[in-house]
Amino acid sequence: MNKIRMQLMLCGGTGCDSTGSERVREALLQEIQKQDLAGEVEIVVTGCNGFCAVGPVMVVQPEGIFYQKIKPEDAAELVEEHFLKGRPLKRLFYKEPGSKDIIPKMDDIPFFSSQMFRTMRNKGLIDPEVIDEYIARDGYFAVAKALTEMTPDGIVDEMLASGLRGRGGAGFPAGMKWKFAKQAQGDVKYVLCNADEGDPGAFMDRSILESDPHAVLEGMIIAAKAINAHKGYIYCRSEYPLAVKRLDIAISQAKAYGLLGEDILGSGFDFDIEVYQGAGAFVCGEETALMRSIEGKRGMPRPRPPFPAHKGLWEKPTILNNVETLANVPQIILKGGEWYASVGTETSKGTKVFALSGDVNNIGLVEIPMGTSLRTLVYDIGGGVPKKRKFKAVQLGGPSGGCVPEDYLDTPIDYEAIAKVGAIMGSGGAIVMDNRTCMVDMARYFMDFIQDESCGKCTPCREGTKQMLTILENICKGKGRPGDIERLQELAHVVGRSSLCGLGQTASNPVLSTLRYFREEYEAHIEQKECPAKICPDLVHFEVVPDLCKRCGLCFKDCPSDAITWKKKEVAVIDKDKCIKCMSCYDRCKFDAIL
Amino acid sequence: MKTNTHPHHPDITGEMWTRMDEIIANGKGQPGSLITVLRECQEVVGYLPSELLSHISHGLVLPTSQVFGVATFYSFFSLTPKGRHIVRVCTGTACYVKGIKEAMGRIDTTFDLKEGETTEDRRFTLEGVRCLGACGLAPVMVVDKDIYGDVTSNKVINILEKYE
Ligand SMILES: Cc1cc2nc3c(=O)[nH]c(=O)nc-3n(C[C@H](O)[C@H](O)[C@H](O)COP(=O)(O)O)c2cc1C
Ligand code: FES
C-alpha cells in the first residue's frame, strides 16, 4: 500500500456545497483514479472552511495551498499539474481584490492571517464524521482529564479563571453559571446546549456543529461532570438538517468508544446526550422557553427567578450554554483557564466567532481575539465594501442589537465597549451595510421579525412591538407624522422595561440605535417624504437623468414590466405608471443615471 | 391500540395511517414527545390536517387544546396543504440587505404568491425562512432541495419557471 502524501481538504460546508463542492469532489475523485493516485492523494470533505465568499474552496495539505472557486472542469488540470507533477495551479489561487496580489498559501491570505483559531481550531482540518480524526487532534483528552484527574470544584475553578462568558448573547460568565448549578440541591440535573441560533443573520453555531460536533459533546460532558448531571439535550433548529445528522453520528461514535453513556472511560461517571429538534420559534432560544419546548409544550418564557440553575428543565437544576461557549470548554480544561484568559480585554477574554456578511467582500466565518477593532473586522478581514460603494454601518446582535457607524469603527470587540456604542456583542452576526441601505427600513425589518416572533404571553411585547411596527411601516410608506420619533422612543422605553423576557426587553434596540446615529433619515422620511437611500418603494420614483445616461440599454433589457422605452443611441425613459418599483434598473445602471 | 378507527381524510392513505400509528405508539407516555410526534407525522402527510391532530391527541392521551396549541405555536407546522414545490426564500438579514424583498415582489406580481401562501393550482408554496447559513450567496432561495444564490429580482422568475 502506498502512503498518503497529500490531503485535499475540500470544504463541504453549506456555502461551498451550494456552489457545487460535491460535483467538484466527484470530478476530482475521477481524475485521481484516472492518474492512479488514489493511494497517495486523499480527499477529505471538511466542515465550513470559513471563507464562503470564494467557494468552493480547498486546502491542500501539508503544503497549505489554498484554491478558490473551483469548478468540476478544473479537476483534470488540477490533478495532473499539482498532484501528479507537483506544480500548483496558479489560476485558482486567491487574488487580493485591492492589490491584485496572488497569494498561494492559506495562512498568508489577509482574511485568515488576522484571525485566531481556537473555537474553530479543527475547521477544515478534520472530517467531522470521523471521531478518530477528532481524537488525533487531542480530542476527548479534556474529558479524560476532567473525569479522571479533576474534581467538580476544580473544573468550575478553571472555568472561572478562563473568564469565558456566554457566547449566546448575554455574556454571563460560564463558570458562575456552572457554580450555581453545582451548588443546587438535587439528584437529577441537566446540561443543555442551545443550538437554536435564532439571529436571522448568523450561522456560527451551525458551522461549529457541522465542522466539529465532538467539541460540543466534549464541552457538555465536562459540564455534566462539574454539576453531576447524567442527561443532556442539544436543542437544535430544524432548519439545520446537516448539523442534526452530524450530531447524531458524533453521538453514536462517542458511545461506541465509551466516551458517552455509562461508565465513561471507566471513571464510573454516566452521561448521555440526546438531540432535540426545535420547530421554528425564535423565542425558544430564550432559556426558559427552550426548556418548555423540550418538555413538549408551547415555548413560552416564564419569569425568573427561579433561575434554571435551581429550577430548569422539568423543574430540575439545569445549565444551558450556547454551542460556541461549550466548544471552548475542552481547550480551557486541557490548557488551563489562564491560557484562555491570556487573550482579550479586561472583561472579555478569549476569541469570538463572527458570521460576517452583507455588503462586504469577504463574506464568511471569522474568529478573532476579543479586543480586535470593528474596523479590522470590516476592512482587513472583510476586505471592505464591494462595488466601490461607501460603508454605512455594521449591525451586530441581530434583532436584539444595534448598528455601529463609521465614526465608531475603532471600538474594540468587547462586551462593554460595544454596549456603550448602542449595539450588543450578540451571538456573532455581523452584517455590513453600504450607503444603499435605508436605516429606517432596517429598523422596520427587525421590528417586523420581533413582532412576528413575539410569543404573545406578555402584553408590552405583544402590543408594544405591534404599535412600533405600525409607526415604522407608516414612516416607510410616507405616512409618517410629526411626533412619530418621540412616540417610538416612548414605546421603546415601556417595552424595554416591562417585557417578560429578553425578546421584548431588547426589541427596541435596532430602533434606538438607528435613531441615535441616523435620526436625519427618519426626519427625511417623515418631513420631506423622501427615502435618502432610495429603498422604500413608496417614496421613490425612478427617473433617468439624461446627462448621466450612457444609452447602453441595460435598464431596458432588465425591466420586467415593459416600463422602459429605449432605442439604440437614445436616452432611456421610464413610464411611471407601468413601473413596479422592482429596482432592477436602479441596480443595473452602472452610471448611477437612474434616480 | 389497533382497534381505533381512523377518520376519513382524502390526503391520508391507509399506509400513512399505519405508519403514523407506529409513531404515535412510540411517543405515548413519553414526556415531551408531542413535538417529535407532530414533526414525524407531518413528514408522512406533508401537513397536519385537523382530523389528524385530533387523532394524535387521542393517541397520546393529551388534551386536544394542547395539541392544537403546540401545532399552531411553531412555524414549522402547517395545518394547510402545501404546493408541489416548496420555495423557501431567505428573509435573513444578509439576504434582506442584498435585496430578497425585490425578488419576492417579482414572485408576487408573476404568480400572485405571497410569503406563507400556496398558489391556487398548488404549484408553489412560498415560505420565508430566516438565514439558511449561506449568506455568502445572498440573496438565497431554495426550491425543494436546490439552492440558488444571488437571486435578484430579474433572475427569480426564470428559476421558478423550471418547476412545473
Ligand atoms: C429571545 C431570545 C432568543 C435567544 N436566542 C438564542 C439563540 O438562538 N442561541 C443562543 O445560544 N442563545 C440565545 N438566547 C440566549 C439564551 O437565553 C441564553 O442566555 C444562552 O443560551 C445561554 O448560554 P450562554 O451563557 O452560553 O450564552 C436568546 C435569548 C433570548 C431572550
Ligand atoms: S441571511 Fe440569507 S443565508 Fe444568511
Side-chain angles (χ1 to χ4, degrees), chain A residues 200-201, chain B residues 90 92-95 131-135 140:
Chain B
C90 178
T93 321
C95 291
C131 194
L132 291 158
C135 312
V140 180

Coordinates of all heavy atoms in Angstrom, one line a residue, chain A residues 200-201, chain B residues 90 92-95 131-135 140, ligand 2:
Chain A
P200 N -31.4 36.1 12.8 CA -31.6 35.8 11.4 C -30.5 36.1 10.4 O -30.7 36.2 9.2 CB -32.9 36.6 11.1 CG -32.8 37.7 11.9 CD -32.2 37.2 13.2
G201 N -29.3 36.4 10.9 CA -28.2 36.7 10.0 C -27.0 36.1 10.5 O -25.9 36.6 10.2
Chain B
C90 N -34.9 33.1 1.6 CA -34.3 33.5 2.9 C -34.6 35.0 3.2 O -34.4 35.9 2.4 CB -32.8 33.4 2.8 SG -32.0 33.9 4.3
G92 N -33.5 36.3 6.0 CA -32.4 36.7 7.0 C -31.9 38.1 6.7 O -32.1 38.6 5.6
T93 N -31.1 38.6 7.6 CA -30.7 40.0 7.5 C -29.8 40.2 6.2 O -30.0 41.2 5.5 CB -29.9 40.4 8.7 OG1 -30.6 39.9 9.8 CG2 -29.8 41.9 8.8
A94 N -28.9 39.3 6.0 CA -27.9 39.5 4.9 C -28.7 39.4 3.6 O -28.5 40.3 2.7 CB -26.9 38.4 4.9
C95 N -29.6 38.5 3.4 CA -30.4 38.4 2.2 C -31.3 39.6 2.1 O -31.6 40.1 1.0 CB -31.2 37.1 2.2 SG -30.1 35.7 2.0
C131 N -32.3 33.0 7.6 CA -30.9 32.6 7.4 C -30.7 31.2 7.2 O -30.9 30.3 8.1 CB -30.0 33.1 8.6 SG -28.3 32.9 8.1
L132 N -30.4 30.9 6.0 CA -30.1 29.5 5.6 C -28.6 29.2 5.8 O -28.1 28.1 5.5 CB -30.4 29.3 4.1 CG -31.9 29.3 3.9 CD1 -32.2 29.6 2.4 CD2 -32.6 28.0 4.2
G133 N -27.9 30.1 6.4 CA -26.4 29.9 6.6 C -25.6 29.9 5.3 O -24.6 29.3 5.3
A134 N -26.2 30.5 4.3 CA -25.4 30.6 3.1 C -25.3 32.1 2.7 O -25.5 32.4 1.5 CB -26.1 29.8 2.0
C135 N -25.1 33.0 3.7 CA -25.2 34.4 3.4 C -24.2 34.8 2.4 O -24.3 35.9 1.8 CB -24.9 35.2 4.7 SG -25.8 34.6 6.1
V140 N -30.6 34.4 -1.1 CA -30.7 32.9 -1.3 C -32.1 32.4 -1.4 O -33.0 32.9 -0.7 CB -30.0 32.2 -0.2 CG1 -30.0 30.7 -0.4 CG2 -28.5 32.7 0.0
Ligands
FES2 S1 -29.3 35.8 5.7 FE1 -29.9 34.5 4.0 S2 -28.5 32.9 4.1 FE2 -28.0 34.1 5.8

